[in-house]
Amino acid sequence: MWTQIAEHISQTTGKSFTIESQKSVSGGCINQGYCLIGEDIKYFVKINHASQVEMFTAEALGLKEMTKTQTIRVPKPICWGMTERSSYIVLEWLEFGRSSNASWEAMGRNLAKMHQYQGETRFGWSQNNTIGSTPQVNNWTEKWSDFFANHRIGFQLKLASRKGGNFGNYSQIVEKVRDILSTIAPQPSLVHGDLWSGNAAVTEAGEPVILDPATYYGDREVDIAMTELFGGFPAAFYRGYNEVFPLDEGYKKRKTLYNLYHILNHYNLFGGGYGSQANYMIQEVLKS
C-alpha cells in the first residue's frame, strides 16, 4: 500500500518521493492518520476502507473549492485514491502551533470572507459527501428552507428511525423546520459544514487553518452555530467574524435548529445520550 501511495505522490507532484519513515498520528475518530516522511518533505495521509474512496474524493474537492475563494487556509490535497484494500487521501503536512487572540480574530475574519464568496446561486453542492462517516445529501435546491428541512433534518431523522430512534412525528418536525426557515432568504455561502474546534487550528507561523470539511453551499449561520456546539470558540473568533460579516439578530433563534442536525448525526454515529439531547432540541424547535 505505502509503495503505491508514494508512487502516486511522485506522479502527482512530478518529484520523486520515497518514504524514509512513517508514524501514526491522529486522523480523527473515522480514519487512521499517518505522517509520511521523505528526504526533505512530509505528507499527512488518511486511510480508511476501500469502500470509502468517495469520501476522500469529496474531501479533496471540498478543500479545492475553499482554496478557490482565496480567503482562508486549508490543507492542500495532493492526491487520493485506493489500493486493493484501502482508500486514502494525501494532504500537505502543516506544522501547527499555539493559538492567540490575534490568530482567532484572523480565523473569524477569514471565515467571514469565505462566507461572503458568491460562487453559487442555489443551495447544495455538485456532489454528495459525508458528515463524519454519515452520507450527506447535497442535491441542488432553490430554497434554503427546502434544502435544510429535507436534506439535513429530514435525512437524519430517517436514519435515526432505522436505528430505533424515537424523535416524534417526522412530518411535523420537517414542516416546522421548513416554516421557520421560510422567513429568511440567506445568500448561498460556501460553508465548511463541520466546524468544531477539532477542525480548526493555527500554523506555527500563526496562520488560521480549517480542515476536514463537509463542504456545501448553505446558510453561513450553520458554521457559526457549530462553533458554539462543543464548548465554543474563543470570543476573539466571533469578534473577528462580526467585524467583516455581522450576524443577524435572528441567528440566536436559529442556532438550536442548525445544531440539531449535528446532534442527530452524533446519535446516528454514536448513539447514547445524543438521543435525549436531540429530543430536547426538537422540543425547543417545535415551540419556537
Short mmCIF file of all heavy atoms in Angstrom, two decimals, residues 1 7 9 24 27 31 82 104 120 158 191 197 264 275:
data_model
loop_
_atom_site.label_atom_id
_atom_site.label_comp_id
_atom_site.label_asym_id
_atom_site.label_seq_id
_atom_site.Cartn_x
_atom_site.Cartn_y
_atom_site.Cartn_z
N MET A 1 0.83 -1.21 0.00
CA MET A 1 0.00 0.00 0.00
C MET A 1 0.86 1.26 0.00
O MET A 1 0.62 2.19 -0.77
CB MET A 1 -0.92 0.01 1.22
CG MET A 1 -1.77 1.27 1.35
SD MET A 1 -2.81 1.30 2.82
CE MET A 1 -1.59 1.60 4.10
N GLU A 7 4.24 6.22 -4.96
CA GLU A 7 4.28 6.38 -6.41
C GLU A 7 3.24 7.39 -6.89
O GLU A 7 3.49 8.19 -7.79
CB GLU A 7 4.03 5.02 -7.08
CG GLU A 7 5.18 4.04 -6.92
CD GLU A 7 4.86 2.68 -7.49
OE1 GLU A 7 3.69 2.44 -7.87
OE2 GLU A 7 5.78 1.84 -7.56
N ILE A 9 2.08 9.93 -5.16
CA ILE A 9 2.60 11.25 -4.79
C ILE A 9 3.61 11.72 -5.83
O ILE A 9 3.58 12.87 -6.29
CB ILE A 9 3.23 11.22 -3.39
CG1 ILE A 9 2.17 10.97 -2.32
CG2 ILE A 9 3.98 12.53 -3.11
CD1 ILE A 9 2.73 10.72 -0.93
N SER A 24 2.32 6.97 13.07
CA SER A 24 0.89 7.13 13.26
C SER A 24 0.61 8.45 13.97
O SER A 24 1.30 8.80 14.93
CB SER A 24 0.33 5.96 14.08
OG SER A 24 -1.05 6.13 14.31
N GLY A 27 -5.97 10.82 13.21
CA GLY A 27 -6.71 11.02 11.97
C GLY A 27 -8.18 11.23 12.24
O GLY A 27 -9.02 11.08 11.37
N ASN A 31 -10.97 7.98 10.59
CA ASN A 31 -9.87 7.50 9.77
C ASN A 31 -8.62 7.23 10.59
O ASN A 31 -8.48 7.71 11.72
CB ASN A 31 -9.52 8.54 8.68
CG ASN A 31 -10.72 8.97 7.87
OD1 ASN A 31 -11.31 8.17 7.17
ND2 ASN A 31 -11.10 10.24 7.97
N MET A 82 -7.30 4.65 -4.15
CA MET A 82 -7.49 3.42 -3.40
C MET A 82 -6.48 2.37 -3.82
O MET A 82 -6.00 2.36 -4.96
CB MET A 82 -8.92 2.90 -3.58
CG MET A 82 -9.33 2.61 -5.00
SD MET A 82 -11.10 2.18 -5.16
CE MET A 82 -11.15 0.65 -4.23
N TRP A 104 -7.09 33.92 16.43
CA TRP A 104 -8.52 33.60 16.43
C TRP A 104 -9.33 34.72 15.77
O TRP A 104 -10.31 34.45 15.07
CB TRP A 104 -9.02 33.36 17.86
CG TRP A 104 -8.73 31.97 18.34
CD1 TRP A 104 -7.85 31.59 19.29
CD2 TRP A 104 -9.35 30.77 17.86
NE1 TRP A 104 -7.86 30.22 19.44
CE2 TRP A 104 -8.78 29.69 18.59
CE3 TRP A 104 -10.33 30.48 16.90
CZ2 TRP A 104 -9.15 28.37 18.37
CZ3 TRP A 104 -10.70 29.16 16.69
CH2 TRP A 104 -10.11 28.12 17.42
N GLU A 120 -22.20 30.39 -5.99
CA GLU A 120 -23.39 29.69 -6.47
C GLU A 120 -24.64 30.50 -6.15
O GLU A 120 -24.63 31.34 -5.25
CB GLU A 120 -23.50 28.30 -5.86
CG GLU A 120 -22.40 27.33 -6.27
CD GLU A 120 -22.50 26.89 -7.72
OE1 GLU A 120 -23.57 27.09 -8.32
OE2 GLU A 120 -21.51 26.34 -8.24
N LYS A 158 -34.69 10.13 9.23
CA LYS A 158 -34.92 8.83 8.60
C LYS A 158 -33.85 7.83 9.03
O LYS A 158 -34.15 6.66 9.32
CB LYS A 158 -34.93 8.98 7.08
CG LYS A 158 -36.17 9.68 6.55
CD LYS A 158 -36.11 9.83 5.03
CE LYS A 158 -37.37 10.54 4.51
NZ LYS A 158 -37.29 10.75 3.03
N VAL A 191 -19.81 26.86 2.89
CA VAL A 191 -19.61 26.59 4.31
C VAL A 191 -18.69 25.39 4.50
O VAL A 191 -18.61 24.50 3.65
CB VAL A 191 -20.95 26.35 5.05
CG1 VAL A 191 -21.83 27.60 4.96
CG2 VAL A 191 -21.69 25.13 4.50
N SER A 197 -14.15 22.70 17.14
CA SER A 197 -12.78 23.10 17.48
C SER A 197 -11.73 22.13 16.97
O SER A 197 -10.60 22.52 16.68
CB SER A 197 -12.64 23.26 18.99
OG SER A 197 -12.96 22.06 19.67
N LEU A 264 -28.33 15.03 15.87
CA LEU A 264 -28.95 13.85 15.26
C LEU A 264 -27.88 12.97 14.59
O LEU A 264 -27.92 11.74 14.69
CB LEU A 264 -30.00 14.26 14.23
CG LEU A 264 -31.34 14.75 14.78
CD1 LEU A 264 -32.18 15.36 13.66
CD2 LEU A 264 -32.11 13.62 15.46
N GLY A 275 -29.33 10.93 21.91
CA GLY A 275 -30.75 10.79 21.63
C GLY A 275 -31.59 11.70 22.48
O GLY A 275 -32.49 12.40 21.97
#
